Amino acid sequence: MSGSDEDWLRRWREYFLAWYDEGRVEEKAEEAAEFASRYLDEGVVSVSGGKDSMTMLHIVATRCREDVAVFHWDHGPWLMPREVEEEIRRGIAAVAPRARLIVHEYRLGWSERARWDWEAWYKAFFSTLQSLGFRYHLLGIRADESCRRRARGRVVERRSWVEVHPIYHFSWRDTWAYVFKHNVPVPRVYFDYAKLLGWDKARLVTFFDKEFEKYGSPQLDSVLSWRWKAKPF
Amino acid sequence: MTPLEVVFHLRTPVALGFPWIFFDSLLAHIRLKEELGERYYSLPTKVPMGAQLRVPLKRWRDVPVASVSIFEPQAGLAVFSFFKRGDFPFPRGRVERSRGFFKDYYLRAAYIPAVRVRFYCTGELEEVARLCRKVPALGKERNIGFGFIKRVEVREVEEEWGLVWNGVAMRPIPVRYLKSWEDAAWMAYKPPYWSKKSFDLCAVPFTRVELA
């Protein structure tokens, strides 16, 4: 990171730390922990490695219980470059060292086909979730992410499990404030995207994924994450 | 073949699909259009074309002696968001464009507010100048106004700067052609730049290298 980037990050850190008090993020985190604790006995915390799921994991692991079950889906190198994936795994281990970590690897993610054949991804992902056998899946979904997510509600009954969203009432500012306040590790690639798109729009999604072509993501990835385009491992 | 400097003066910012624009691919694109005429617009996709085209540039081994773009002033990237309709056949009658199958694409283009784009190459002055005058715009999203060119200047320079300048790589160069390099990444180093066949482990443009 260059000097000007560090200065930029320092100023934003200052802002988010101020927001932590201003936005009463501590109270929201306490409420989220209390809400999550009802579902942990038969539940698993799903962690993608993004800011929201890492925030949720930190809340659960530090305020509810340390030996929580954590599920992480490894998309494979063509969708999630190994550098980022390693950072995510290190982050999970640092936040919840005593967690029971379950990692499933997406086999097709080792083939370039994974970048355009996302139907196969959905099949593999949901059959894996079903095979885990947990009653509750705790996800880091927030209401202010989209109208669709807001409409989903905080607890969603699915056919084989129940989706629970502990940080549902967090805003993007709350999440970043929590990340900076508690030094929650998030992949550094976030900062490149945040600098260009803004903190509210920076999201960790699969890279060069045709599924997100409708949102212009692969084109931005080609400019910001060009190193991982031709050979991501 | 003479060492050349090509400067495109821009009317509008340049949108990018990759951090750099390759000068040799720009000339190859113009040559292909000249060669094929109207047929250019109905080419099969994903089939490398134009391998036999004569581009008036020198080659060092199989690497074109042509630099990547140097944007001036060196401002940071910005993002332009816009909506675009899908390019599939739309049915007759009313369709919902805000959601569902026919939802508009919400695209984001990274752009640089550059006023000049500079390239260095070694080639035939007359021919390079002729081809450059045929370039209407640079970069991506030209159809919505990005990268429009005001004028272009092509002039001779004393030294060959298309490959390496003061120990700095001016374009991707495969590391197998180098004695030492500062930074390397997998990328295309010759046209067609989208084809896997052109990929190799290359020195990253604007990092220090030493040719073997």
Side-chain angles (χ1 to χ4, degrees), chain B residues 9-16 80 82 109-114 136-150:
Chain B
H9 295 264
L10 298 174
R11 210 184 290 275
T12 53
V14 192
L16 298 173
F80 178 75
F82 59 104
Y111 68 91
I112 290 188
L138 290 177
K140 286 190 81 77
E141 314 303 348
R142 302 179 300 276
N143 56 340
I144 55 166
F146 279 101
F148 276 29
I149 292 163
K150 210 185 318 182

mmCIF file of all heavy atoms in Angstrom, chain B residues 9-16 80 82 109-114 136-150:
data_model
loop_
_atom_site.group_PDB
_atom_site.id
_atom_site.type_symbol
_atom_site.label_atom_id
_atom_site.label_comp_id
_atom_site.label_asym_id
_atom_site.label_seq_id
_atom_site.Cartn_x
_atom_site.Cartn_y
_atom_site.Cartn_z
ATOM 1 N N HIS B 9 -4.294 12.702 -28.389
ATOM 2 C CA HIS B 9 -4.896 13.753 -27.552
ATOM 3 C C HIS B 9 -6.383 13.447 -27.463
ATOM 4 O O HIS B 9 -7.020 13.241 -28.504
ATOM 5 C CB HIS B 9 -4.651 15.132 -28.162
ATOM 6 C CG HIS B 9 -3.196 15.480 -28.171
ATOM 7 N ND1 HIS B 9 -2.618 16.232 -27.184
ATOM 8 C CD2 HIS B 9 -2.204 15.137 -29.027
ATOM 9 C CE1 HIS B 9 -1.317 16.364 -27.445
ATOM 10 N NE2 HIS B 9 -1.041 15.697 -28.557
ATOM 11 N N LEU B 10 -6.883 13.416 -26.246
ATOM 12 C CA LEU B 10 -8.253 12.930 -26.053
ATOM 13 C C LEU B 10 -9.270 14.041 -25.830
ATOM 14 O O LEU B 10 -8.951 15.094 -25.271
ATOM 15 C CB LEU B 10 -8.298 11.988 -24.849
ATOM 16 C CG LEU B 10 -7.448 10.723 -24.963
ATOM 17 C CD1 LEU B 10 -7.482 9.967 -23.652
ATOM 18 C CD2 LEU B 10 -7.956 9.824 -26.073
ATOM 19 N N ARG B 11 -10.464 13.733 -26.250
ATOM 20 C CA ARG B 11 -11.591 14.642 -26.035
ATOM 21 C C ARG B 11 -12.355 14.208 -24.773
ATOM 22 O O ARG B 11 -12.902 15.025 -24.069
ATOM 23 C CB ARG B 11 -12.513 14.542 -27.256
ATOM 24 C CG ARG B 11 -13.281 15.775 -27.589
ATOM 25 C CD ARG B 11 -14.210 15.499 -28.750
ATOM 26 N NE ARG B 11 -13.517 15.312 -30.015
ATOM 27 C CZ ARG B 11 -13.156 16.307 -30.815
ATOM 28 N NH1 ARG B 11 -13.409 17.539 -30.472
ATOM 29 N NH2 ARG B 11 -12.552 16.061 -31.944
ATOM 30 N N THR B 12 -12.398 12.888 -24.553
ATOM 31 C CA THR B 12 -13.149 12.352 -23.403
ATOM 32 C C THR B 12 -12.292 11.334 -22.645
ATOM 33 O O THR B 12 -11.332 10.792 -23.207
ATOM 34 C CB THR B 12 -14.450 11.666 -23.876
ATOM 35 O OG1 THR B 12 -14.116 10.702 -24.871
ATOM 36 C CG2 THR B 12 -15.447 12.650 -24.436
ATOM 37 N N PRO B 13 -12.603 11.034 -21.375
ATOM 38 C CA PRO B 13 -11.805 10.077 -20.601
ATOM 39 C C PRO B 13 -11.805 8.673 -21.223
ATOM 40 O O PRO B 13 -12.690 8.347 -22.010
ATOM 41 C CB PRO B 13 -12.509 10.037 -19.242
ATOM 42 C CG PRO B 13 -13.348 11.232 -19.185
ATOM 43 C CD PRO B 13 -13.715 11.587 -20.585
ATOM 44 N N VAL B 14 -10.813 7.873 -20.847
ATOM 45 C CA VAL B 14 -10.698 6.521 -21.411
ATOM 46 C C VAL B 14 -11.237 5.505 -20.419
ATOM 47 O O VAL B 14 -10.799 5.458 -19.267
ATOM 48 C CB VAL B 14 -9.217 6.150 -21.662
ATOM 49 C CG1 VAL B 14 -9.122 4.883 -22.498
ATOM 50 C CG2 VAL B 14 -8.479 7.265 -22.310
ATOM 51 N N ALA B 15 -12.188 4.672 -20.865
ATOM 52 C CA ALA B 15 -12.678 3.568 -20.028
ATOM 53 C C ALA B 15 -11.804 2.347 -20.305
ATOM 54 O O ALA B 15 -11.376 2.131 -21.442
ATOM 55 C CB ALA B 15 -14.130 3.263 -20.367
ATOM 56 N N LEU B 16 -11.538 1.590 -19.260
ATOM 57 C CA LEU B 16 -10.595 0.477 -19.406
ATOM 58 C C LEU B 16 -11.234 -0.875 -19.104
ATOM 59 O O LEU B 16 -12.123 -0.983 -18.270
ATOM 60 C CB LEU B 16 -9.403 0.674 -18.458
ATOM 61 C CG LEU B 16 -8.553 1.922 -18.683
ATOM 62 C CD1 LEU B 16 -7.530 2.049 -17.579
ATOM 63 C CD2 LEU B 16 -7.853 1.841 -20.026
ATOM 64 N N PHE B 80 -17.739 4.767 -13.663
ATOM 65 C CA PHE B 80 -18.953 5.292 -14.277
ATOM 66 C C PHE B 80 -19.975 4.154 -14.297
ATOM 67 O O PHE B 80 -19.689 3.075 -14.810
ATOM 68 C CB PHE B 80 -18.657 5.771 -15.703
ATOM 69 C CG PHE B 80 -19.864 6.275 -16.435
ATOM 70 C CD1 PHE B 80 -20.402 7.518 -16.133
ATOM 71 C CD2 PHE B 80 -20.470 5.514 -17.423
ATOM 72 C CE1 PHE B 80 -21.516 7.984 -16.799
ATOM 73 C CE2 PHE B 80 -21.587 5.977 -18.098
ATOM 74 C CZ PHE B 80 -22.115 7.215 -17.783
ATOM 75 N N PHE B 82 -23.735 2.693 -15.386
ATOM 76 C CA PHE B 82 -24.786 2.944 -16.374
ATOM 77 C C PHE B 82 -25.602 1.674 -16.615
ATOM 78 O O PHE B 82 -25.189 0.582 -16.239
ATOM 79 C CB PHE B 82 -24.198 3.463 -17.688
ATOM 80 C CG PHE B 82 -23.211 2.528 -18.344
ATOM 81 C CD1 PHE B 82 -23.582 1.778 -19.446
ATOM 82 C CD2 PHE B 82 -21.925 2.401 -17.873
ATOM 83 C CE1 PHE B 82 -22.680 0.915 -20.061
ATOM 84 C CE2 PHE B 82 -21.017 1.545 -18.468
ATOM 85 C CZ PHE B 82 -21.392 0.801 -19.568
ATOM 86 N N ALA B 109 -18.005 0.967 -15.436
ATOM 87 C CA ALA B 109 -16.784 1.055 -16.232
ATOM 88 C C ALA B 109 -15.756 1.860 -15.455
ATOM 89 O O ALA B 109 -16.060 2.964 -14.989
ATOM 90 C CB ALA B 109 -17.081 1.722 -17.563
ATOM 91 N N ALA B 110 -14.562 1.293 -15.305
ATOM 92 C CA ALA B 110 -13.478 2.045 -14.678
ATOM 93 C C ALA B 110 -12.880 2.945 -15.752
ATOM 94 O O ALA B 110 -12.641 2.489 -16.867
ATOM 95 C CB ALA B 110 -12.430 1.087 -14.137
ATOM 96 N N TYR B 111 -12.689 4.212 -15.438
ATOM 97 C CA TYR B 111 -12.112 5.108 -16.440
ATOM 98 C C TYR B 111 -11.036 5.996 -15.835
ATOM 99 O O TYR B 111 -10.971 6.174 -14.623
ATOM 100 C CB TYR B 111 -13.202 5.948 -17.117
ATOM 101 C CG TYR B 111 -13.873 6.967 -16.233
ATOM 102 C CD1 TYR B 111 -13.376 8.272 -16.144
ATOM 103 C CD2 TYR B 111 -15.009 6.651 -15.501
ATOM 104 C CE1 TYR B 111 -13.995 9.224 -15.337
ATOM 105 C CE2 TYR B 111 -15.632 7.585 -14.692
ATOM 106 C CZ TYR B 111 -15.115 8.865 -14.617
ATOM 107 O OH TYR B 111 -15.727 9.795 -13.817
ATOM 108 N N ILE B 112 -10.210 6.511 -16.734
ATOM 109 C CA ILE B 112 -9.132 7.407 -16.317
ATOM 110 C C ILE B 112 -9.363 8.760 -16.987
ATOM 111 O O ILE B 112 -9.522 8.816 -18.213
ATOM 112 C CB ILE B 112 -7.756 6.835 -16.727
ATOM 113 C CG1 ILE B 112 -7.437 5.606 -15.876
ATOM 114 C CG2 ILE B 112 -6.664 7.877 -16.617
ATOM 115 C CD1 ILE B 112 -6.051 5.070 -16.048
ATOM 116 N N PRO B 113 -9.393 9.835 -16.210
ATOM 117 C CA PRO B 113 -9.601 11.145 -16.831
ATOM 118 C C PRO B 113 -8.316 11.676 -17.470
ATOM 119 O O PRO B 113 -7.788 12.711 -17.078
ATOM 120 C CB PRO B 113 -10.069 12.013 -15.653
ATOM 121 C CG PRO B 113 -9.476 11.362 -14.449
ATOM 122 C CD PRO B 113 -9.314 9.909 -14.745
ATOM 123 N N ALA B 114 -7.802 10.930 -18.460
ATOM 124 C CA ALA B 114 -6.545 11.313 -19.100
ATOM 125 C C ALA B 114 -6.819 12.294 -20.239
ATOM 126 O O ALA B 114 -7.881 12.248 -20.860
ATOM 127 C CB ALA B 114 -5.851 10.078 -19.643
ATOM 128 N N PRO B 136 -10.742 6.103 -34.160
ATOM 129 C CA PRO B 136 -11.653 7.158 -33.712
ATOM 130 C C PRO B 136 -11.670 7.345 -32.194
ATOM 131 O O PRO B 136 -11.882 8.432 -31.680
ATOM 132 C CB PRO B 136 -13.020 6.666 -34.184
ATOM 133 C CG PRO B 136 -12.874 5.180 -34.289
ATOM 134 C CD PRO B 136 -11.430 4.860 -34.488
ATOM 135 N N ALA B 137 -11.446 6.234 -31.461
ATOM 136 C CA ALA B 137 -11.527 6.302 -29.989
ATOM 137 C C ALA B 137 -10.708 5.174 -29.383
ATOM 138 O O ALA B 137 -10.448 4.165 -30.032
ATOM 139 C CB ALA B 137 -12.981 6.188 -29.552
ATOM 140 N N LEU B 138 -10.319 5.368 -28.124
ATOM 141 C CA LEU B 138 -9.499 4.361 -27.423
ATOM 142 C C LEU B 138 -10.263 3.749 -26.262
ATOM 143 O O LEU B 138 -11.119 4.396 -25.670
ATOM 144 C CB LEU B 138 -8.234 5.016 -26.845
ATOM 145 C CG LEU B 138 -7.151 5.481 -27.798
ATOM 146 C CD1 LEU B 138 -6.048 6.170 -26.993
ATOM 147 C CD2 LEU B 138 -6.563 4.311 -28.574
ATOM 148 N N GLY B 139 -9.885 2.507 -25.905
ATOM 149 C CA GLY B 139 -10.406 1.871 -24.691
ATOM 150 C C GLY B 139 -11.778 1.263 -24.880
ATOM 151 O O GLY B 139 -12.221 1.000 -26.001
ATOM 152 N N LYS B 140 -12.468 1.073 -23.767
ATOM 153 C CA LYS B 140 -13.791 0.433 -23.801
ATOM 154 C C LYS B 140 -14.907 1.488 -23.792
ATOM 155 O O LYS B 140 -14.623 2.666 -23.601
ATOM 156 C CB LYS B 140 -13.936 -0.487 -22.569
ATOM 157 C CG LYS B 140 -13.118 -1.756 -22.705
ATOM 158 C CD LYS B 140 -13.453 -2.741 -21.627
ATOM 159 C CE LYS B 140 -14.692 -3.525 -21.925
ATOM 160 N NZ LYS B 140 -14.473 -4.593 -22.911
ATOM 161 N N GLU B 141 -16.106 0.996 -23.965
ATOM 162 C CA GLU B 141 -17.326 1.818 -23.913
ATOM 163 C C GLU B 141 -17.236 3.040 -24.823
ATOM 164 O O GLU B 141 -17.707 4.130 -24.495
ATOM 165 C CB GLU B 141 -17.623 2.256 -22.458
ATOM 166 C CG GLU B 141 -17.520 1.184 -21.412
ATOM 167 C CD GLU B 141 -18.409 -0.033 -21.649
ATOM 168 O OE1 GLU B 141 -19.294 0.036 -22.515
ATOM 169 O OE2 GLU B 141 -18.190 -1.050 -20.988
ATOM 170 N N ARG B 142 -16.640 2.835 -25.994
ATOM 171 C CA ARG B 142 -16.508 3.941 -26.950
ATOM 172 C C ARG B 142 -17.884 4.349 -27.496
ATOM 173 O O ARG B 142 -18.097 5.496 -27.855
ATOM 174 C CB ARG B 142 -15.591 3.512 -28.102
ATOM 175 C CG ARG B 142 -14.212 3.101 -27.626
ATOM 176 C CD ARG B 142 -13.335 2.655 -28.768
ATOM 177 N NE ARG B 142 -13.871 1.522 -29.491
ATOM 178 C CZ ARG B 142 -13.717 0.247 -29.146
ATOM 179 N NH1 ARG B 142 -13.017 -0.053 -28.072
ATOM 180 N NH2 ARG B 142 -14.235 -0.727 -29.861
ATOM 181 N N ASN B 143 -18.817 3.365 -27.513
ATOM 182 C CA ASN B 143 -20.152 3.670 -28.052
ATOM 183 C C ASN B 143 -20.944 4.620 -27.174
ATOM 184 O O ASN B 143 -21.925 5.202 -27.610
ATOM 185 C CB ASN B 143 -20.938 2.369 -28.268
ATOM 186 C CG ASN B 143 -21.025 1.549 -26.995
ATOM 187 O OD1 ASN B 143 -20.220 1.749 -26.089
ATOM 188 N ND2 ASN B 143 -21.977 0.661 -26.894
ATOM 189 N N ILE B 144 -20.527 4.806 -25.928
ATOM 190 C CA ILE B 144 -21.247 5.778 -25.099
ATOM 191 C C ILE B 144 -20.372 7.008 -24.829
ATOM 192 O O ILE B 144 -20.611 7.755 -23.897
ATOM 193 C CB ILE B 144 -21.776 5.156 -23.779
ATOM 194 C CG1 ILE B 144 -20.655 4.488 -22.975
ATOM 195 C CG2 ILE B 144 -22.901 4.201 -24.052
ATOM 196 C CD1 ILE B 144 -21.055 4.179 -21.553
ATOM 197 N N GLY B 145 -19.328 7.140 -25.626
ATOM 198 C CA GLY B 145 -18.587 8.400 -25.600
ATOM 199 C C GLY B 145 -17.239 8.398 -24.924
ATOM 200 O O GLY B 145 -16.607 9.454 -24.826
ATOM 201 N N PHE B 146 -16.771 7.255 -24.459
ATOM 202 C CA PHE B 146 -15.458 7.247 -23.798
ATOM 203 C C PHE B 146 -14.326 7.190 -24.835
ATOM 204 O O PHE B 146 -14.469 6.588 -25.894
ATOM 205 C CB PHE B 146 -15.339 6.048 -22.853
ATOM 206 C CG PHE B 146 -16.008 6.268 -21.531
ATOM 207 C CD1 PHE B 146 -17.252 5.737 -21.259
ATOM 208 C CD2 PHE B 146 -15.391 7.039 -20.551
ATOM 209 C CE1 PHE B 146 -17.879 5.950 -20.046
ATOM 210 C CE2 PHE B 146 -16.009 7.265 -19.330
ATOM 211 C CZ PHE B 146 -17.257 6.715 -19.080
ATOM 212 N N GLY B 147 -13.210 7.778 -24.481
ATOM 213 C CA GLY B 147 -11.962 7.636 -25.241
ATOM 214 C C GLY B 147 -11.912 8.318 -26.594
ATOM 215 O O GLY B 147 -11.081 7.950 -27.435
ATOM 216 N N PHE B 148 -12.757 9.328 -26.839
ATOM 217 C CA PHE B 148 -12.755 9.982 -28.155
ATOM 218 C C PHE B 148 -11.444 10.746 -28.378
ATOM 219 O O PHE B 148 -10.956 11.425 -27.478
ATOM 220 C CB PHE B 148 -13.949 10.945 -28.276
ATOM 221 C CG PHE B 148 -15.215 10.256 -28.694
ATOM 222 C CD1 PHE B 148 -15.442 8.927 -28.377
ATOM 223 C CD2 PHE B 148 -16.182 10.932 -29.417
ATOM 224 C CE1 PHE B 148 -16.605 8.276 -28.758
ATOM 225 C CE2 PHE B 148 -17.352 10.294 -29.813
ATOM 226 C CZ PHE B 148 -17.571 8.970 -29.483
ATOM 227 N N ILE B 149 -10.947 10.637 -29.594
ATOM 228 C CA ILE B 149 -9.638 11.238 -29.905
ATOM 229 C C ILE B 149 -9.815 12.576 -30.619
ATOM 230 O O ILE B 149 -10.618 12.692 -31.558
ATOM 231 C CB ILE B 149 -8.812 10.262 -30.769
ATOM 232 C CG1 ILE B 149 -8.444 9.037 -29.928
ATOM 233 C CG2 ILE B 149 -7.554 10.924 -31.310
ATOM 234 C CD1 ILE B 149 -7.999 7.863 -30.735
ATOM 235 N N LYS B 150 -9.053 13.561 -30.153
ATOM 236 C CA LYS B 150 -9.083 14.888 -30.774
ATOM 237 C C LYS B 150 -8.108 14.904 -31.962
ATOM 238 O O LYS B 150 -8.439 15.241 -33.058
ATOM 239 C CB LYS B 150 -8.656 15.912 -29.716
ATOM 240 C CG LYS B 150 -9.298 17.264 -29.918
ATOM 241 C CD LYS B 150 -8.810 18.346 -28.964
ATOM 242 C CE LYS B 150 -8.624 17.954 -27.547
ATOM 243 N NZ LYS B 150 -8.199 19.042 -26.671
#
